Amino acid sequence: MSNTEALQWAAEADDSLSRNEILTDDKIIRTVTAEDDDDDDVTPANPVKISHSEAVAAVNNLLQWAEEQNFEAHEIMLLRCLRDRSFELKIGTAAQKNH
């Protein structure tokens, strides 16, 4: 870097520092805390209920895809457990409606 380039870089850095506010630790903490508080107000825009039947179909599709992609056995087993659980919920709901 030439002297001219170094001086230009230093001048730009000084200009940048003069435009930016120097933050204290307390101000940083207050700013971050305020941002965290904003996140608490977030609610899902469109909460959609997924039926047990839709869940069973989705997990079946995912299981088929995972098998085609040669996922590891423990990953396949986890998906089968999810499929079985969603199917149990589907059957339990159907049984309750019949009584």
Side-chain angles (χ1 to χ4, degrees), residues 12-95:
E12 289 172 3
D14 285 343
D15 185 46
S16 176
L17 284 175
S18 66
R19 284 181 287 156
N20 294 324
E21 178 183 356
I22 305 298
L23 300 176
T24 64
D25 290 344
D26 290 335
K27 181 138 186 171
I28 292 170
I29 291 169
R30 282 194 305 273
T31 302
V32 170
T33 304
E35 289 173 1
D36 287 346
D37 291 344
D38 293 343
D39 293 343
D40 295 340
D41 298 335
V42 176
T43 55
N46 188 12
V48 177
K49 276 293 238 187
I50 298 172
S51 71
H52 297 310
S53 296
E54 291 172 315
V56 169
V59 176
N60 278 332
N61 287 336
L62 181 58
L63 180 59
Q64 181 180 352
W65 173 81
E67 289 171 344
E68 290 170 359
Q69 301 302 314
N70 296 318
F71 273 45
E72 293 185 22
H74 71 277
E75 296 168 321
I76 299 293
M77 292 301 294
L78 174 62
L79 292 173
R80 287 181 180 160
C81 287
L82 289 172
R83 179 198 56 198
D84 294 348
R85 181 69 178 119
S86 58
F87 187 73
E88 289 169 3
L89 290 169
K90 176 184 172 183
I91 296 300
T93 302

